[in-house]
Amino acid sequence: MQAAAADGQGSYEQVLKALTISQRGSYGDLSYMPVFRASALFYAVCGPRINTRVGFLNYWREKNKLDGIGVLVTVRDAQGVKRIRQHNRLTDMTGHYDLRDMLGSAGLGYTDFTGSMELEFFAADDLKFQFPGITVFYQTPGGISYVHTNQRVYNHAEDKARGTPLNAWQTGFDVFAHQNPFVYLVNGPTPFAGGAADLVAVRANGDAHREAISLPPMAAYATHSWQASTVQAVADFLGTDAGMCKLNLPLQDVHLRLGVGHAPASDDWLSITHSFFDATEQADYFSTQALPPETCPAFIPFVLPPQLDVDLVLYPIYSRCNMRLSLTGYADDGSTLFTLDAGGYQTPQDGIRRLDIRDVLARHGVSARASLYVLRFDPLDTPQLPNRITYGLNFRQGQRLGTNISASAYVARSWGIGQRSWKWGAVALLPGARNEIMVCAYLNGNRTSGTSTATGTLAIYDQAGLVVQQPFALKDCTAQTFHAEALLAHVHYRAADDAIVWYVVQSAQAWLDVVGITVSAQGNVGGDHSF
């Protein structure tokens, strides 16, 4: 039996209301929950060959015209004990906290440190979102990997009531048992006495193995890194093939969107993404009946960069559905080159569907191009699709681990309904690395747009402000990749070693998608979708 996703209890209706319908500061709307504290809670580690950094753009001021934001940063050790606390008012264009530097400045003398970093942003006016748009970076000799805000401590009882339904059965990420997969846990303010947690390991074909795992006692704000490879039954069940896990954790008063990934010792590299909740038993759908034929009910736009491979990984964690997949490729002028039948996908019965895009193209005799591709979802049995179609977006080089960016397919009902595009993300300027910012323009048959060309700018900012700005004009069904290092070299910008700067894509057209990646000198790829 599927449970309906009640409005206000994790349903897409509540998300849509918060993201696009409600206006900031709608204090008279009693169903709207204004936000005056936004926070993020990250697992943090520092040692001779790894460091944790947290950074952000001051989008509150630049995008939302909110000034006077205060930020409180707290560093706790693995037992949850406060070791460092700093407060400042945001005045610069960007913010950055380096764990190694903070430990050194505090004179704590750690050679190896494990714990957490919590950032709390406070405002006198409505922030609208409890999750701030900030990013955690894990830097190793193999490169840098990053992900946006995942865990956080709830603001109050109503916030907890809305967030708790999204905590159960965290999943939706790749698990390669032989590549040292991990799940980072940061407890909230309520101590955990220790005990069992439920785990389900899932093979690509959908076969599942259930296991009870033991979690240690965790004090308030204590941390734990759970290693899937230490559970022999799980390692044996998954073998060397790609699988996934579902975890049902008994922690309280903390949002459990978890930092997850792999740390293969052979690559001296850590790859990070975040989990997503399992919606299999939720009846959370939208109707496709009224959509015109040229409109994709749900879709994923993406670019296939030269010298890199791309996987789209569909996990069996959506509201139950039988779908048809098709892949369309576009020329540089926006004309359609081909549409390929990518098969049916019935979830959860069909397990994990991994689309290696270069392989799909080769099997159909189609040449790969560095242009726009769109994966389309259509219903097969009934005229409805899940509101949430979460997937892993892997940019990778050869057989190396990919980014496994946790993202959701766009749905027609909410795509492009905003007043503009204002999207931003990180650029990590490591020696020998390259940063690529991929901007996709896709109207999806929107007849109300008034134009079929998206015009705008891509700008890069550092702490002091604007560094460089590049205009663009993208026709519908086209994409453009910006190379950050080339843009910065054009204005003779000299960055500090391992500097993190920020890109901003602005346009009056709301139908843009943006993803940024960092390819290290060693060929490891970190990245994330834009905010």
Side-chain angles (χ1 to χ4, degrees):
M1 167 108 29
Q2 286 184 275
D7 187 29
Q9 297 298 315
S11 74
Y12 188 76
E13 295 298 330
Q14 184 243 316
V15 174
L16 187 62
K17 179 180 176 66
L19 291 177
T20 60
I21 298 175
S22 295
Q23 296 297 312
R24 187 183 315 279
S26 298
Y27 305 116
D29 179 356
L30 300 186
S31 66
Y32 173 71
M33 185 167 61
V35 175
F36 301 96
R37 171 187 177 270
S39 68
L41 187 61
F42 298 114
Y43 189 95
V45 57
C46 180
R49 302 181 70 79
I50 189 170
N51 188 27
T52 303
R53 304 160 71 185
V54 177
F56 52 88
L57 179 80
N58 190 355
Y59 69 94
W60 299 277
R61 183 185 69 189
E62 300 304 312
K63 177 177 183 282
N64 300 330
K65 311 306 179 187
L66 293 176
D67 218 337
I69 305 294
V71 57
L72 184 68
V73 183
T74 305
V75 176
R76 299 178 177 91
D77 63 21
Q79 289 71 46
V81 177
K82 295 186 186 78
R83 295 301 182 185
I84 302 171
R85 188 163 64 188
Q86 298 178 3
H87 176 269
N88 64 283
R89 187 180 293 264
L90 300 186
T91 57
D92 294 332
M93 180 65 71
T94 67
H96 181 246
Y97 296 91
D98 183 300
L99 180 59
R100 178 175 286 131
D101 289 349
M102 294 177 74
L103 293 171
S105 297
L108 294 179
Y110 287 101
T111 304
D112 292 281
F113 178 90
T114 299
S116 66
M117 297 175 71
E118 183 177 29
L119 280 74
E120 300 171 89
F121 298 86
F122 298 92
D125 296 302
D126 183 19
L127 294 168
K128 192 173 184 181
F129 303 115
Q130 298 95 333
F131 280 100
I134 67 177
T135 299
V136 63
F137 304 83
Y138 298 98
Q139 187 170 350
T140 67
I144 195 165
S145 185
Y146 44 96
V147 68
H148 52 278
T149 301
N150 39 74
Q151 287 194 250
R152 68 180 181 89
V153 174
Y154 295 120
N155 289 346
H156 43 67
E158 184 182 1
D159 183 21
K160 177 182 175 180
R162 291 190 178 190
T164 298
L166 308 182
N167 271 353
W169 292 111
Q170 290 298 300
T171 183
F173 52 92
D174 283 346
V175 174
F176 294 90
H178 63 296
Q179 295 273 36
N180 191 26
F182 61 82
V183 176
Y184 285 158
L185 305 179
V186 184
N187 194 20
T190 302
F192 171 61
D198 294 323
L199 165 74
V200 176
V202 182
R203 289 175 174 155
N205 65 3
D207 290 349
H209 169 81
R210 184 178 291 268
E211 183 93 4
I213 62 171
S214 178
L215 291 180
M218 298 178 70
Y221 295 99
T223 62
H224 177 64
S225 177
W226 180 76
Q227 311 290 321
S229 56
T230 62
V231 182
Q232 193 60 46
V234 172
D236 291 344
F237 178 75
L238 293 178
T240 58
D241 295 329
M244 59 174 260
C245 285
K246 300 181 180 185
L247 276 169
N248 195 17
L249 300 170
L251 304 183
Q252 301 294 316
D253 299 314
V254 61
H255 195 70
L256 291 176
R257 190 166 71 175
L258 306 170
V260 297
H262 297 83
S266 58
D267 284 352
D268 212 356
W269 162 248
L270 185 150
S271 177
I272 191 74
T273 185
H274 70 73
S275 65
F276 200 80
F277 76 97
D278 185 4
T280 305
E281 301 307 326
Q282 286 196 359
D284 192 10
Y285 300 97
F286 70 97
S287 173
T288 62
Q289 275 185 308
L291 296 176
E294 68 271 20
T295 299
C296 293
F299 61 95
I300 300 170
F302 64 96
V303 173
L304 180 57
Q307 305 173 357
L308 292 180
D309 296 287
V310 172
D311 306 317
L312 301 182
V313 189
L314 309 180
Y315 301 105
I317 64 172
Y318 323 136
S319 300
R320 297 172 182 270
C321 189
N322 193 10
M323 300 178 278
R324 170 66 62 184
L325 311 177
S326 58
L327 178 67
T328 299
Y330 296 92
D332 293 340
D333 62 1
S335 59
T336 300
L337 291 173
F338 61 83
T339 296
L340 307 177
D341 184 354
Y345 183 51
Q346 187 169 8
T347 179
Q349 294 91 323
D350 288 348
I352 303 169
R353 175 66 58 82
R354 184 176 298 269
L355 298 173
D356 178 334
I357 300 303
R358 290 192 185 274
D359 178 67
V360 171
L361 297 177
R363 285 191 285 108
H364 286 84
V366 175
S367 298
R369 299 168 55 93
S371 55
L372 177 69
Y373 297 82
V374 173
L375 182 69
R376 172 174 175 146
F377 299 81
D378 286 284
L380 278 178
D381 298 332
T382 57
Q384 62 180 19
L385 284 175
N387 271 312
R388 292 177 173 94
I389 301 177
T390 310
Y391 65 98
L393 175 57
N394 275 334
F395 293 95
R396 58 180 171 83
Q397 185 165 290
Q399 297 307 307
R400 293 176 180 269
L401 285 168
T403 50
N404 204 208
I405 296 168
S406 180
S408 293
Y410 294 109
V411 297
R413 62 183 299 198
S414 58
W415 173 248
I417 66 174
Q419 296 179 349
R420 59 174 176 163
S421 293
W422 211 103
K423 298 175 180 289
W424 73 99
V427 175
L429 300 175
L430 275 59
R434 69 180 192 271
N435 284 266
E436 300 182 4
I437 304 159
M438 293 162 280
V439 183
C440 299
Y442 189 61
L443 258 172
N444 194 28
N446 185 347
R447 300 190 181 107
T448 64
S449 172
T451 180
S452 60
T453 299
T455 57
T457 58
L458 182 142
I460 296 179
Y461 295 88
D462 66 5
Q463 185 177 4
L466 178 66
V467 176
V468 64
Q469 184 168 272
Q470 176 73 41
F472 64 81
L474 285 174
K475 292 178 62 176
D476 180 26
C477 299
T478 66
Q480 183 173 350
T481 298
F482 295 88
H483 303 277
E485 283 77 9
L487 291 174
L488 294 170
H490 185 70
V491 295
H492 309 291
Y493 180 73
R494 286 188 168 274
D497 290 344
D498 299 340
I500 294 171
V501 295
W502 297 82
Y503 71 81
V504 175
V505 173
Q506 294 189 65
S507 173
Q509 287 71 49
W511 32 275
L512 296 179
D513 173 75
V514 185
V515 172
I517 58 173
T518 305
V519 185
S520 73
Q522 295 78 9
N524 295 311
V525 187
D528 205 354
H529 58 72
S530 66
F531 293 105

